[in-house]
Amino acid sequence: MVTFEQLKLNAALLKSLDALNYTLPTPVQAQAIPLLLQGHDVAAQAETGSGKTAAFGLPLLQSINPGLQQVQALVVVPTRELAVQVRQELKQYARFIPNLKITAFYGGHSFRLEEDSLAHPPQVLVGTPGRLTDHLSRRTLDLTNVAQVVLDEADKLLEMGFEEELDDLLRAIPRKRQTILFSATMEEDVKELIANSLQDPRFVQASATAVPDRIVYYGLKVQDEQKPQALVRLLQSINPAGTVVFVNARLTTTEVAQHLQEHGFQARALHGKLEQSERDKTMTLFRNGTASILVATDLAARGLDMDVVQQIIHYELPQHQDAYQHRSGRTGRAGKSGTVYTLLSSRETQKLEQWPDVQVNEWLDLTELAADTSVPMEAPALTTLHISGGRKDKLSPRDIVGALIAEVGLKASEIGKIEIQDRHSFVAIPEEAASAAVRKLSAARIKGKRYKVSFVR
Ligand code: AMP
């Protein structure tokens, strides 16, 4: 067993890993980190959940010169959610490196704000291809000092049609650079990208540990037309909090979410065609428990690392085994335990049986699923409030807790998760206190200032 110290990571990074309680490197980290620190181009086959972000992130951070205010490393990711997540994760690792700026650029939010932030360029920039090339064509972004570039989830980048954007980005970066590619699969198009963009690459393949062992897989045999009732029944038999239901088509997300709402569940649809603000809102509501169930397509949920995910339900089987494993990997992450349920028609059962790396630990009989009375189905009901001020207004969670206690009379223990963003904040509170809270907080001052307070619906 190799340790993080033996991988020759510096003291600041070791300190943050210690603070995060990472005791040992994962297989992909053990293999990739030494190669990356030696400066090799690396092509790695690894999935979300394998620890891939730290595998490229730690060596990348070690190579940055914090004294130089230039974009030195670029991480290209397929989705905005992944951009936000990778940035967050890198920031955690960089906690003890002073003066290091890590920024994320992605479509759907203000171009101007991004442009303004380039007045003091970050050393590490994470972004989606479309938005990054936008910056290039408007000449707002200088990539000529980039020495390291990461193509994260390369298979997805290509699948989403970003080939041209990748070309443009790589052409804007000096040839003398370290190029790093991570991909869940190594199809022909990915191999081609490696051949065209990496120099003398070293290959790393993390063994099939992408879906950790501590996931328990349950199968339920139901015909297609019975699936809506079966899903309700299943959710009534478990604690539904923190459930992601996967479906194959965008339209199905809204149908299924609506069906669940009609049966009293706090369910929300998440798909790639929603407005950015709507997706952000849905994620906030899921993270803070106001919505207990997300009904999502693969694309929408890809790369999401959410500690709140307790279980996955495959409402439909995806086309390929890879996608099935990806979906399943949203739970049981990094050694936590997780549960996966799969609703299978006879056609789908046959298909699943042909996937060599997939197993069902136990088959459940729908008629025997008893409603679980030990967990109140959807309690306590929460409502999320939107407050029109955030980090830029110097609001902190303490200010919001303070106002809710002083103005609304809530107890600290009743206040749920608080999320402070740049210009707004969200807080989850008990539903029955919500109307009074909106009224009283709107009339009050928080840290001496008036804010608009409203419900998030
Ligand atoms: P990723 O595959 O990059 O999406 O990472 C999966 C999760 O594992 C993330 O939540 C990381 O914070 C966590 N993680 C990464 N490396 C380690 C490690 N060596 N020990 C424990 N957790 C880790």
Side-chain angles (χ1 to χ4, degrees):
M1 272 289 177
V2 28
T3 61
F4 281 115
E5 283 83 359
Q6 288 165 340
L7 294 179
K8 304 217 169 65
L9 292 170
N10 67 27
L13 293 173
L14 290 175
K15 193 168 161 195
S16 63
L17 292 174
D18 193 45
L20 288 166
N21 249 334
Y22 290 10
T23 43
L24 282 174
T26 65
V28 69
Q29 291 163 2
Q31 291 177 65
I33 291 174
L35 293 169
L36 289 170
L37 287 177
Q38 286 160 22
H40 292 291
D41 280 7
V42 168
Q45 183 169 3
E47 309 203 13
T48 310
S50 61
K52 68 182 171 73
T53 314
F56 66 73
L58 294 167
L60 180 145
L61 292 169
Q62 182 146 322
S63 314
I64 296 292
N65 175 359
L68 215 59
Q69 234 181 31
Q70 291 165 337
V71 181
Q72 299 167 45
L74 181 72
V75 182
V76 188
V77 298
T79 62
R80 349 176 198 212
E81 282 82 3
L82 193 58
V84 172
Q85 184 200 320
V86 167
R87 171 176 167 268
Q88 264 171 5
E89 199 165 327
L90 294 180
K91 274 182 101 99
Q92 286 190 319
Y93 302 139
R95 240 170 85 192
F96 300 108
I97 309 176
N99 304 320
L100 190 73
K101 186 168 160 190
I102 306 174
T103 301
F105 283 1
Y106 46 90
H109 78 162
S110 162
F111 188 92
R112 264 296 297 282
L113 283 181
E114 292 182 357
E115 188 181 348
D116 292 349
S117 81
L118 287 169
H120 302 281
Q123 289 94 345
V124 181
L125 179 59
V126 184
T128 51
R131 179 53 70 99
L132 289 170
T133 45
D134 258 7
H135 279 280
L136 279 187
S137 55
R138 299 199 214 176
R139 300 185 183 280
T140 43
L141 176 64
D142 177 9
L143 295 179
T144 53
N145 294 297
V146 170
Q148 290 172 291
V149 54
V150 181
L151 307 178
D152 190 17
E153 305 203 348
D155 50 346
K156 207 69 194 179
L157 284 167
L158 294 175
E159 196 182 311
M160 291 172 73
F162 286 131
E163 208 175 326
E164 245 175 67
E165 284 85 351
L166 293 183
D167 256 12
D168 290 346
L169 286 168
L170 290 174
R171 254 188 285 119
I173 299 170
R175 194 76 190 106
K176 194 170 160 340
R177 61 167 189 249
Q178 185 179 32
T179 312
I180 302 153
L181 177 144
F182 273 72
S183 181
T185 60
M186 283 287 166
E187 310 277 325
E188 272 319 305
D189 54 349
V190 178
K191 288 186 185 148
E192 206 171 301
L193 180 64
I194 294 170
N196 293 335
S197 322
L198 276 64
Q199 284 180 1
D200 185 22
R202 304 300 145 103
F203 287 86
V204 166
Q205 185 170 20
S207 53
T209 50
V211 178
D213 291 333
R214 291 172 66 189
I215 296 182
V216 183
Y217 291 84
Y218 292 105
L220 285 109
K221 293 187 181 173
V222 268
Q223 287 316 316
D224 284 326
E225 61 280 9
Q226 294 170 340
K227 281 192 175 177
Q229 300 105 284
L231 180 63
V232 167
R233 183 90 197 220
L234 172 61
L235 286 166
Q236 284 167 343
S237 76
I238 58 179
N239 182 350
T243 302
V244 180
V245 178
F246 279 105
V247 301
N248 292 342
R250 202 190 311 150
L251 201 60
T252 321
T253 60
T254 35
E255 280 170 16
V256 172
Q258 199 175 355
H259 177 72
L260 292 176
Q261 286 159 8
E262 283 161 10
H263 285 79
F265 292 100
Q266 300 298 329
R268 295 258 167 174
L270 183 72
H271 59 73
K273 280 279 160 15
L274 288 176
E275 292 282 332
Q276 175 67 18
S277 57
E278 195 61 26
R279 288 164 82 169
D280 288 346
K281 189 174 84 184
T282 301
M283 293 310 306
T284 298
L285 295 180
F286 187 60
R287 273 195 299 268
N288 73 20
T290 302
S292 46
I293 303 166
L294 276 190
V295 186
T297 53
D298 290 305
L299 202 58
R302 178 141 178 142
L304 293 180
D305 171 20
M306 294 181 293
D307 287 342
V308 286
V309 180
Q310 298 300 322
Q311 57 250 335
I312 298 297
I313 301 178
H314 300 275
Y315 185 76
E316 299 169 305
L317 219 52
Q319 274 304 92
H320 301 290
Q321 172 177 303
D322 283 354
Y324 181 82
Q325 290 182 316
H326 254 290
R327 291 176 174 185
S328 304
R330 310 289 85 238
T331 186
R333 305 204 57 192
K336 280 197 325 181
S337 59
T339 313
V340 172
Y341 299 90
T342 308
L343 304 187
L344 295 149
S345 65
S346 29
R347 182 180 43 81
E348 288 172 317
T349 308
Q350 281 175 13
K351 183 164 160 182
L352 185 92
E353 281 167 357
Q354 283 167 13
W355 288 348
D357 302 332
V358 168
Q359 89 277 26
V360 170
N361 300 111
E362 196 178 331
W363 289 96
L364 298 177
D365 186 342
L366 203 56
T367 56
E368 286 173 10
L369 284 182
D372 186 347
T373 47
S374 68
V375 274
M377 200 177 91
E378 283 283 336
L382 295 175
T383 293
T384 296
L385 302 186
H386 174 271
I387 300 169
S388 66
R391 212 174 288 123
K392 295 256 153 95
D393 307 281
K394 306 249 179 319
L395 278 189
S396 73
R398 280 179 57 169
D399 302 326
I400 293 175
V401 169
L404 285 168
I405 293 174
E407 307 291 340
V408 188
L410 286 181
K411 292 198 208 74
S413 61
E414 291 176 306
I415 301 169
K417 196 170 151 92
I418 295 176
E419 256 185 58
I420 310 274
Q421 300 181 354
D422 278 355
R423 293 265 172 226
H424 357 233
S425 308
F426 298 95
V427 55
I429 60 167
E431 197 167 65
E432 67 269 15
S435 300
V438 166
R439 197 166 19 87
K440 292 179 178 163
L441 283 187
S442 303
R445 287 169 191 275
I446 310 177
K447 245 192 180 169
K449 221 175 131 187
R450 282 283 253 288
Y451 293 101
K452 278 210 199 87
V453 180
S454 54
F455 296 108
V456 179
R457 305 239 180 245

